Structure formats: C-alpha cells, structure tokens
C-alpha cells in the first residue's frame, strides 16, 4: 500500500496512516474484501510502533470502512448497499436516541442563563460574566489591526492542539507572578475553563469512578463529572474552605480518582481556603495518591485581604492540574483558558482535546498574548478590580437595606458572587416564580450541590449588572422573597410566568 508519513506534520501519525488508507479505499484502489497488512508488518514497513497502526485501523473501523475478525485479519467492507423499500420518512426520535447518562434536567441551566443576557427587561444577577462596558475595545481594535499586519493569514489558520508556542511561553511567564513555575511544555490552551474540566473528566475518569467535589461547588464542574459518568462525593465547605478533616476519612473509604477544588474565591460561596487547609489538602493527596484539579478563574480578582499561594504553587510532587481562564477578566466570548499539568498528564489532556475540537481559537490566542505583552492586560486588571470592588460594596449595601429577616450572606473578599441563604420554609420553585414576575434572575443554590442541599441558597453576581441596576435588582429579588414567604403557592409555579433563573 502506498501510504506516506510526514513526520514534521502536526497531524498525528496514526491519523495520517488512516487518512492515507481511507483515500485508497474511496478511490477504489483497495476493493471490497481486500485484506490490509497485519499490524506488525505495516508498522515495520512504515517505521512506526504497532500501537500506532492499531490506532489507525480503529479509526478506519469507526468510519465503517474496514472490519476485523480474529484469524482473518482486517478487510475492506463493501461501500454500496441495495436500498430497502421505505415508507414515509419519520421524524428522528432524538430524545430516545440520547445517551442514558446524558444531560439531566439541570443541564440547560447555563444556556438559559446566557439567553437572559439578551433580555433588556430583566436584571440579571445570575450569570458569571464580567462587565461588558469595561472591555478594552480600543486596545483590542489596535492589537487586532497590528496582528493582521504582522502575522497575516496564519492568524486565522490552524495551530497546534496544545496552543501556539509563543502564547504558552507567555502564560508560563505570567504564572511566575502567581508563584507557579512551569514551562511552555506544561501548558495546554483550552476553549475556556469549562473545556478544561471536561478534558480532565474525559482523560482520567472512567464510568463509576469517584470524584471528590466541594459542597457547594461550580455547577458546570458537577455537570462535566456527571457526564463521565462519575460518582460525586461531596465535602462540605465552611469559612476556611473545604473541610479537609472530612476529606481525610472519605479518601480512606472510597479511593477517588480526582479531587476538584476552587480554593480561591470559591464559586459559588466566595470562600477562600486557608493556608493550613491548602497544605493539609496536598498532604492528603500525596498520602492517598489522588491528583487534584485546581480551578482558579477568580484568583486575580482580589479586592481585600492578603493573597494566598495556589495549590499549584505549593505542590512539590506534581499532583495538581491547574486550571484558569481569561473569561473573567477579558473576553468570555473568546473562550480562551489554560491548564498547567505535569507532562504525562498534559499529553493525555491534549489527546482528549484533539478529539474534541483540534485546538482553541488561533486569533484569540494571538490577541490575548499581545495584550499581555503590551501591558494592556495588567492595566485592565487594575481597572476591573477597582470597579468590581465598588459594585460588590453596592450589592452589600443593597442587601443590608432590603433583605428580610432570615436572609444571610457574607461579603466576599474577591471574585464575582454573593452566596445567600434564605429560609427553608420558602420553596425554591416558589421563589423562582416570584423572581420571574419581578423580572430579576438569580442562580438557584440547588444547582451547586452534588446531593440535595439541607438549606436554601441562591447566588448573586455583582460584576455583570450596571451599578445603577444592582440596588434595584436586589430590591426586586428581596421583595420576591417576602412574597414567596407570605403567600406560598403550591404545585410548581401555578401556571403563571415560567421561572427565570
């Protein structure tokens, strides 16, 4: 067989082999029934490992071009079938075709929240977005113009799965300020931090594996691990972060595959894990040999108090996979995040990403790299820190002014959110309905728990709404709390306005 390999290409060799054989089959040069060479023989002739040829043959089998039988080898399948008589075309039963372990009832939550941002009549306190009016559009315009002139067409072409080398080098240099020492070879560019969570689940979690999560935790992470599908083991969070004393006994009983933690300005609670617990968490990971996924999208958005080192900065044995994003400071629409991990782990993550979307946006990587190198990123970070501190204080004042008895919260030192508890006597569904009538949205706390929560919570974002809307939004929501408490309705939302989350 005439199959060529380009060892300088960024396309994996097994895909080059499968692509070459596929072209021969589709061109009719390998007819039906033709037996492909045994894996070892083809591997020797091409100068590759047998496992590479096996992977290529699996690709061909997945495309229904070949089939393999023990004792008979791998043969080309027929490509033409006589059509059977058909009746009228029927609609595809998509819901029945969906995987049984597919999205559950809460999975549309992110989509629904983002749709609300286009509704001018709603004050959105629910989404985890930065302030759109603060985005540095002039700097972006100048940077993109310069990039188009300097980089040209490659700005809009493919790049390596791991990301452009120069951007990964820039990330590695930037992370020195966070106390994280790494090389470009330990950095993977992702399509937002949500993809990083999905990659970790795809690369390391098999069906039935246990994954430790905080209670409460980021609902997007819970969804990603549920899709694995994994068994979620919740560890409560208090004022110092994850309860590592509870974690210790849990690790001894269950031997989980991963520990997922947001130690700095935790989403949704805003809690900062104490330094003592950070060290204890790492010690437990070392003792029980469980890797940690550290999610740190908010670490640079500190408004009060001293900064603490990340788990990755404290890690001495390569146990932490560090995940962060530019979506909370710059452009969520660009979908640019990154992971830092030991090289063996990064290779597995990159293979999972290659199968998912090949690589993240090339133009977005070049743009953010330029903004970092030119100092725009650090200047913008100072701007949003000052403005978000002001908006946080406005929300705290509004809660003090309008919250009824029974509603409690803690003022966060950083991040995006207030985490509020409201009376258990108020059904969550009733409050959602009342909030919908008042044209205000929030994130129900139920979405942030692996199991049924014992108390009622809601999460409020203070960075996205305009300052003038924060007080009104909080007042509307607290009036909805009063209405739900004084006139609770039975049977869902009573057929009225659908809940807005």
């Amino acid at each position: 067989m005439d199959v060529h390999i380009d060892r300088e290409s960024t396309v994996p060799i097994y895909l080059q082999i499968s692509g070459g054989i596929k072209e021969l089959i589709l061109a009719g040069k390998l007819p039906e029934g033709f037996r492909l060479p045994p894996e070892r023989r083809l591997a020797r002739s091409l100068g590759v490992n047998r496992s590479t040829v096996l992977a290529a043959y699996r690709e061909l089998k997945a495309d229904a071009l070949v089939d393999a039988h023990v004792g008979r080898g791998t043969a080309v399948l027929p490509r033409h079938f006589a059509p059977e008589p058909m009746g009228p075309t029927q609609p595809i039963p998509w819901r029945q075709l969906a995987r049984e372990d597919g999205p559950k009832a809460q999975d549309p939550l992110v989509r629904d929240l983002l749709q609300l941002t286009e509704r001018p009549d709603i004050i959105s306190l629910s989404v985890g977005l930065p302030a759109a009016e603060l985005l540095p559009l002039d700097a972006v315009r100048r940077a993109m113009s310069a990039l188009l002139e300097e980089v040209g067409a490659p700005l809009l072409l493919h790049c390596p799965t791991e990301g452009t080398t120069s951007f990964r080098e820039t990330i590695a240099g930037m992370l020195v300020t966070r106390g994280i020492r790494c090389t470009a070879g330990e950095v993977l560019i992702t399509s937002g931090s949500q993809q990083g969570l999905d990659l970790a689940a795809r690369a390391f979690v098999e069906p039935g594996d246990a994954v430790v999560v905080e209670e409460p935790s980021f609902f997007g992470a819970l969804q990603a691990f549920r899709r694995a599908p994994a068994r979620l083991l919740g560890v409560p969070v208090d004022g110092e972060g994850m309860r590592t004393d509870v974690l210790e006994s849990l690790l001894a009983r269950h031997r989980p595959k991963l520990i997922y933690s947001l130690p700095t300005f935790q989403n949704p609670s805003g809690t900062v894990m104490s330094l003592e617990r950070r060290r204890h968490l790492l010690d437990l990971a070392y003792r029980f040999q469980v890797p940690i996924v550290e999610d740190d999208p908010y670490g640079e958005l500190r408004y009060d108090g001293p900064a603490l080192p990340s788990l990755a900065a404290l890690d001495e044995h390569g146990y932490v996979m560090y995940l962060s994003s530019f979506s909370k400071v710059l452009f969520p629409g660009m979908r640019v995040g990154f992971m830092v991990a030991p090289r063996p782990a990064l290779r597995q993550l990159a293979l999972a990403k290659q199968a998912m979307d090949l690589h993240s946006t090339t133009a977005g990587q070049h743009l953010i790299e330029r903004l970092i190198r030119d100092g725009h990123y650090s200047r913008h970070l100072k701007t949003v820190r000052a403005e978000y501190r002001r908006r946080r204080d406005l929300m705290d004042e509004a809660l003090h002014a309008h919250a009824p008895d029974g509603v409690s919260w803690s003022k966060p030192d950083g991040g995006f959110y207030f985490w509020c508890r409201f009376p258990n006597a108020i059904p969550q569904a009733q409050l959602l309905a009342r909030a919908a009538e008042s044209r205000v949205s929030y994130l129900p706390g139920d979405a942030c728990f692996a199991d049924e929560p014992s108390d009622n919570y809601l999460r409020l974002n203070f960075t996205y709404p305009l300052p003038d809307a924060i007080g009104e939004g909080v007042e509307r929501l607290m009036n909805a709390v009063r209405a739900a408490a004084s006139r609770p309705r039975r049977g869902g939302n009573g057929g009225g306005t659908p809940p807005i989350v």
Side-chain angles (χ1 to χ4, degrees), residues 170 178 230 259 354 399 432:
T170 298
R178 303 188 193 183
I259 299 170
Q354 174 185 288
L399 285 167
L432 280 167

Side-chain angles (χ1 to χ4, degrees), residues 127-133 303 388 391 415-416 461-466 470:
V127 293
L129 293 176
E133 71 278 6
Y303 316 127
Y388 293 165
R391 297 188 189 196
F416 271 22
N461 168 272
F462 56 83
T463 60
Y464 180 72
L466 293 170
I470 290 175

Side-chain angles (χ1 to χ4, degrees), residues 74-104:
T74 303
V76 177
L77 289 173
R79 294 192 296 114
H80 301 288
F81 299 91
E84 297 180 1
M86 295 179 60
T89 301
Q90 300 297 320
I92 294 177
W94 291 110
R95 294 180 66 87
Q96 287 81 359
L97 292 175
R99 287 173 44 174
E100 291 185 5
D101 61 344
K104 307 301 182 193

Side-chain angles (χ1 to χ4, degrees), residues 217-478:
S217 188
F218 172 44
F219 63 87
L222 302 183
Q223 292 175 0
F225 292 127
R226 284 185 178 124
R227 287 279 293 174
R231 293 182 296 116
L232 300 184
L233 307 175
V235 175
V237 169
D238 63 14
E240 293 186 55
M242 181 191 288
R243 289 273 307 276
T244 50
D245 57 331
V246 176
L247 173 66
E248 184 169 6
S249 61
L250 187 148
L251 292 177
R253 292 197 311 271
H254 296 280
R255 300 287 175 164
K257 202 64 167 292
L258 295 174
I259 299 170
Y260 172 68
S261 177
L262 300 99
T264 305
F265 309 128
Q266 201 248 15
N267 180 4
S269 70
T271 302
V272 177
M273 186 184 293
S274 67
L275 181 59
E276 180 181 0
R277 288 200 186 168
R278 291 175 191 236
R279 295 189 186 281
H280 190 206
L281 173 55
L282 285 168
D283 288 342
L284 292 174
Y286 300 153
R287 191 197 317 169
F288 291 97
Q289 294 189 303
V290 183
I292 299 171
V293 177
E294 179 182 15
D295 200 355
D296 186 28
Y298 306 101
E300 294 193 301
L301 294 173
R302 173 176 289 278
Y303 316 127
D304 297 310
L308 292 178
S310 65
L311 296 174
L314 295 170
D315 181 22
E316 298 178 351
H317 301 288
Y319 269 60
V320 176
M321 293 181 282
Y322 179 83
L323 175 62
S324 191
S325 172
F326 294 98
S327 296
K328 304 305 180 184
V329 175
L330 285 172
F331 319 113
M334 285 283 185
R335 310 306 303 138
V336 178
F338 59 92
M339 294 188 78
V340 178
R343 285 178 184 268
L346 198 85
R347 172 173 170 76
Q348 299 305 314
L349 294 164
L351 289 173
K353 178 174 174 59
Q354 174 185 288
M356 185 184 297
D357 66 356
L358 193 58
H359 65 80
S360 298
T361 165
T362 306
Q365 293 180 57
H366 280 282
L367 173 61
I368 294 178
E369 178 188 351
R370 176 60 63 93
L371 294 177
I372 293 173
R373 289 185 180 274
D374 288 353
H376 291 297
Y377 177 77
S378 60
R379 290 193 291 273
H380 180 67
L381 186 58
K382 291 179 181 178
T383 298
V384 297
R385 278 176 182 155
E387 176 59 18
Y388 293 165
R389 178 187 292 112
R390 181 171 80 94
R391 297 188 189 196
R392 177 205 59 179
D393 293 346
L394 287 173
M395 180 165 283
D396 187 55
E397 292 169 6
L399 285 167
H400 278 288
H402 302 294
D405 292 341
V407 176
S408 59
W409 66 94
S410 294
K411 184 178 179 181
D413 288 338
F416 271 22
Y417 311 112
F418 277 79
W419 183 237
C420 306
R421 184 188 179 281
F422 63 95
N424 288 349
I426 303 174
Q428 186 79 255
Q430 305 302 331
L431 181 55
L432 280 167
R434 295 293 183 180
E437 294 172 353
S438 301
R439 319 316 291 171
V440 62
S441 71
Y442 68 93
L443 179 74
D446 295 7
C448 303
F449 288 83
D451 298 311
E452 195 72 24
S454 58
D455 293 311
N456 268 341
Y457 293 96
L458 56 86
R459 191 196 75 181
L460 303 179
N461 168 272
F462 56 83
T463 60
Y464 180 72
L466 293 170
D468 292 344
I470 290 175
E472 182 179 353
V474 169
E475 183 177 7
R476 289 184 189 182
L477 182 58
M478 293 303 113

